[in-house]
Amino acid sequence: MALIWQESRIVAAAPETPRVRRLTLAVGWDRPFRAGQHVDVRLTAPDGYQAQRSYSIASSPTRPEAIDLLIERLDDGEVSGFFSDVAEPGDAIELRGPIGGAFVWEPAQGGPLLLVGGGSGVVPLLAMLRHRAEAAPDVPALLLYSARTAADVIARDELIRRDAGEPGFGLRLALTREPGGRRIDAARIGEALAALGGPAHTFVCGSNPFVSAVSDLLVDAGVPAATIRTERFGGETP
Ligand SMILES: Cc1cc2nc3c(=O)[nH]c(=O)nc-3n(C[C@H](O)[C@H](O)[C@H](O)COP(=O)(O)OP(=O)(O)OC[C@H]3O[C@@H](n4cnc5c(N)ncnc54)[C@H](O)[C@@H]3O)c2cc1C
């Protein structure tokens, strides 16, 4: 069934990190969404020029009436620049969704769950973690998350709180631009797998190079390729 474009309204906006802004949009969907899905947004200029982009849903499906998007400002980014600098609560935004059938996790799928995110690629993984905490807290889950610096870690306070307080959830940060920082490598993957045990489901999300590199590392570490699902946000910056 083709999804139709519909008008949604921004009901809240707040900085999430220096480069990422959180927007809450009221949506009028007649069916629930699943953690991992995304929406398309479409901007139309006064001269009729249109730009369309995809953004993952960060919030839990348990709150279907309003969704959170986390949008990273890219240098010269056409649509991310608009959402970072121009869009404000009260604005109407053209949106269609929810979209995506493969990169989704539902409590019935169980775990263990290995989530690997790079930069804003953590966004759909946040929806999965939030849903897991509410609906299936017994499912073991580990998030391996690569960000540039500590300040760039999306939902940092929440993730640290969950790591400390939620049995069965583990957080591993790989900060690439902090002193002594390093990217996700074979050793980090090996350590995550040892801590979690064999994952039943692995979700990898980020830029094209990030997803390719991590997928190769996972397969090299013995994770069955059929259990790995990927979402590519485009872009070249790992
Ligand atoms: C399924 C899906 C879900 C997505 N979810 C999110 C999300 O939750 N949050 C989010 O911030 N983005 C997300 N994206 C990326 C988003 O759709 C846009 O590509 C991004 O916001 C750039 O659009 P722009 O118009 O600002 O940049 P453009 O004007 O299209 O491009 C500006 C410059 O940035 C480069 N670029 C384009 N995309 C990226 C990228 N993703 N990373 C690095 N460089 C890039 C381009 O090559 C170009 O040089 C998602 C993409 C997909 C396919």
Side-chain angles (χ1 to χ4, degrees):
M1 187 182 70
L3 288 166
I4 53 160
W5 289 99
Q6 50 183 188
E7 194 175 273
S8 68
R9 199 158 293 276
I10 301 175
V11 293
E16 176 73 30
T17 74
R19 293 162 55 95
V20 175
R21 192 172 186 218
R22 182 176 64 251
L23 297 175
T24 305
L25 290 103
V27 289
W29 291 336
D30 56 6
R31 56 202 169 113
F33 68 89
R34 290 177 287 164
Q37 289 189 299
H38 65 274
V39 295
D40 288 343
V41 299
R42 183 165 71 181
L43 305 180
T44 305
D47 65 2
Y49 170 76
Q50 290 189 321
Q52 181 183 319
R53 299 288 184 275
S54 301
Y55 292 102
S56 298
I57 302 170
S59 44
S60 169
T62 54
R63 192 192 69 185
E65 68 282 0
I67 57 168
D68 285 348
L69 305 182
L70 292 165
I71 300 183
E72 179 181 13
R73 175 210 298 269
L74 297 181
D75 294 339
D76 304 322
E78 196 174 24
V79 173
S80 65
F82 171 82
F83 282 113
S84 300
D85 301 332
V86 180
E88 290 298 342
D91 290 352
I93 301 292
E94 255 194 309
L95 176 148
R96 69 178 178 189
I99 301 170
F103 197 83
V104 296
W105 179 81
E106 293 180 278
Q109 291 170 243
L113 208 50
L114 176 60
L115 310 175
V116 190
S120 57
V122 78
V123 174
L125 310 181
L126 278 178
M128 294 178 190
L129 285 178
R130 289 167 171 167
H131 199 195
R132 167 202 166 274
E134 291 167 344
D138 293 339
V139 168
L142 188 139
L143 173 65
L144 181 53
Y145 174 13
S146 177
R148 294 178 185 183
T149 69
D152 292 309
V153 173
I154 292 171
R156 182 176 51 172
D157 292 350
E158 174 187 339
L159 290 173
I160 290 171
R161 181 169 41 78
R162 290 191 188 282
D163 187 31
E166 278 180 16
F169 171 64
L171 171 67
R172 302 288 186 280
L173 290 175
L175 302 177
T176 58
R177 298 196 192 173
E178 294 285 7
R182 66 182 219 249
R183 293 169 190 265
I184 292 174
D185 54 15
R188 298 300 301 255
I189 293 284
E191 192 271 331
L193 292 172
L196 184 68
H201 309 287
T202 299
F203 293 87
V204 185
C205 185
S207 66
N208 291 321
F210 178 88
V211 170
S212 297
V214 169
S215 299
D216 288 348
L217 288 168
L218 287 164
V219 171
D220 288 349
V223 178
T227 65
I228 303 172
R229 272 168 276 183
T230 60
E231 184 95 287
R232 294 168 186 266
F233 276 12
E236 292 304 316
T237 313

